[in-house]
């Protein structure tokens, strides 16, 4: 049986990497999925890859007018929203001495600020309850040299899920954080083979994660299979942060 039959989901950054894999899995499980991203060409590719049950809204998650347009579209097509995955994120290497205000604002602007305003825009549509799956990172609590702003912005995401659980549980909305370790996505394209090897050596399971593995965990947190789980964090990291 499909686990998300009849549900409506929004996945920001659904045109690449983890977000695309989540979109594919949710559609396979019967959801109608809206994806958002800035690159129209990548959105088109995602829609033609997945076929039915998916719709793309081009936009920038840091722009409030684009978010308004996204949720207006969801409302007019589906009337309500059941599942939100604010997955859009960036990760830029910057050791402490090199961090500029622009770098800080870019990272927090998407990972922390846009995540908050995406959730704020979605909640009024979740009138029948639902599930919000925030995308954190183990960098939010283990620390990662060169990723001060990334780790701190993802730590904000962990805090969101706990706070919003207290605020939204009475509306039947569960909020959880899915925190991946290193996953093989386009975000890793810029990483050298040497860094890749160093990272892999730190992962007890001895490899990077796959996007489908993250999508399976997202499905669990988005579906009724996790109906009594709220305000928690699920790490999908091959054991990296756990040992
Ligand atoms: P990708 O770089 O493959 O995907 C990032 C996605 O975010 C793209 O779809 C991109 O689309 C979208 N995006 C970027 N900027 C914006 C914006 N301003 N507005 C709307 N969408 C935007 O990365 P991943 O799939 O690896 O990462 C997805 C999430 O997972 C991120 O939150 C990341 O921090 C998190 N994560 C990833 C890990 C990994 O190892 N890969 C580990 C831990 C967490 P477009 O460019 O078209 O806007």
């Amino acid at each position: 049986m499909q686990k998300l039959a009849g549900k409506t989901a929004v996945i920001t950054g659904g045109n690449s990497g983890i977000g695309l894999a989540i979109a594919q899995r949710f559609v396979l499980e019967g959801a109608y999925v809206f994806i958002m991203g800035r690159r129209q060409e990548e959105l088109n590719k995602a829609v033609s890859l997945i076929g039915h049950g998916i719709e793309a809204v081009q936009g920038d998650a840091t722009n409030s007018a684009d978010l308004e347009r996204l949720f207006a579209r969801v409302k007019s097509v589906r009337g309500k929203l059941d599942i939100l995955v604010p997955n859009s994120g960036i990760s830029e290497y910057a050791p402490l001495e090199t961090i500029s205000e622009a770098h800080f604002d870019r990272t927090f602007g998407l990972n922390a600020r846009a995540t908050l305003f995406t959730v704020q825009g979605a909640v009024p549509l979740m009138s029948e309850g639902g599930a919000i799956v925030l995308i954190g990172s183990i960098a939010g609590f283990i620390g990662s040299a060169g990723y001060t702003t990334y780790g701190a912005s993802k730590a904000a995401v962990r805090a969101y899920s706990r706070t919003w659980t207290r605020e939204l549980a009475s509306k039947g909305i569960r909020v959880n954080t899915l925190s991946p370790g290193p996953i093989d996505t386009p975000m890793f394209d810029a990483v050298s083979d040497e860094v890749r090897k160093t990272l892999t050596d730190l992962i007890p399971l001895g490899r990077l994660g796959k996007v489908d593995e993250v999508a399976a965990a997202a499905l669990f947190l988005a579906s009724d299979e996790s109906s009594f789980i709220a305000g928690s964090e699920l790490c999908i990291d091959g054991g990296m942060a756990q040992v």
Side-chain angles (χ1 to χ4, degrees):
M1 203 183 96
Q2 289 178 309
K3 294 189 172 130
L4 303 180
K7 304 281 187 195
T8 302
V10 164
I11 303 165
T12 66
N15 58 0
S16 173
I18 290 170
L20 175 58
I22 295 175
Q24 273 180 298
R25 187 68 202 269
F26 282 14
V27 169
L28 208 62
E29 295 290 342
Y32 189 90
V33 172
F34 292 83
I35 55 172
M36 185 200 219
R38 294 160 307 168
R39 291 168 299 161
Q40 185 69 60
E41 201 180 317
E42 298 305 308
L43 290 167
N44 294 345
K45 275 192 215 158
V47 169
S48 53
L49 178 75
I50 295 175
H52 298 294
I54 182 159
E55 174 168 342
V57 177
Q58 192 276 336
D60 186 328
T62 66
N63 180 312
S64 56
D66 286 358
L67 287 176
E68 258 174 50
R69 198 165 37 79
L70 167 69
F71 292 119
R73 178 72 190 158
V74 174
K75 191 172 182 187
S76 78
V77 176
R78 302 285 294 180
K80 68 171 175 74
L81 180 65
D82 306 293
I83 299 161
L84 173 71
V85 186
N87 155 83
S88 293
I90 43 167
S91 156
E92 292 175 355
Y93 178 76
L96 178 59
E97 65 279 11
T98 70
I99 294 172
S100 63
E101 290 183 7
H103 163 84
F104 181 95
D105 291 346
R106 248 190 334 272
T107 308
F108 268 76
L110 184 60
N111 297 354
R113 186 179 181 277
T115 296
L116 186 157
F117 287 109
T118 304
V119 171
Q120 193 188 63
V123 165
L125 286 180
M126 301 179 88
S127 49
E128 293 174 14
I132 298 175
V133 182
L134 303 177
I135 305 296
S137 166
I138 61 167
F141 61 95
I142 64 168
S144 180
Y147 291 94
T148 299
T149 57
Y150 182 70
S153 66
K154 292 297 188 176
V157 168
R158 305 178 83 197
Y160 288 161
S161 75
R162 289 175 181 154
T163 307
W164 293 339
T165 291
R166 295 185 193 283
E167 291 190 14
L168 301 176
S170 60
K171 296 182 199 288
I173 301 175
R174 294 182 300 110
V175 188
N176 289 290
T177 304
L178 183 58
S179 288
I183 308 295
D184 203 358
T185 71
M187 200 178 246
F188 260 86
D189 287 351
V191 170
S192 68
D193 287 348
E194 197 189 336
V195 172
R196 219 172 235 267
K197 162 97 178 56
T198 310
L199 267 175
T200 306
D201 289 346
L202 293 170
I203 301 171
L205 286 182
R207 63 172 175 84
L208 299 184
K210 298 177 189 149
V211 290
D212 291 349
E213 293 170 319
V214 183
L219 172 64
F220 172 67
L221 290 177
S223 73
D224 289 343
E225 303 259 303
S226 61
S227 50
F228 199 53
I229 301 181
S232 91
E233 179 168 24
L234 177 57
C235 295
I236 172 144
D237 65 349
M240 186 173 176
Q242 321 303 325
V243 291

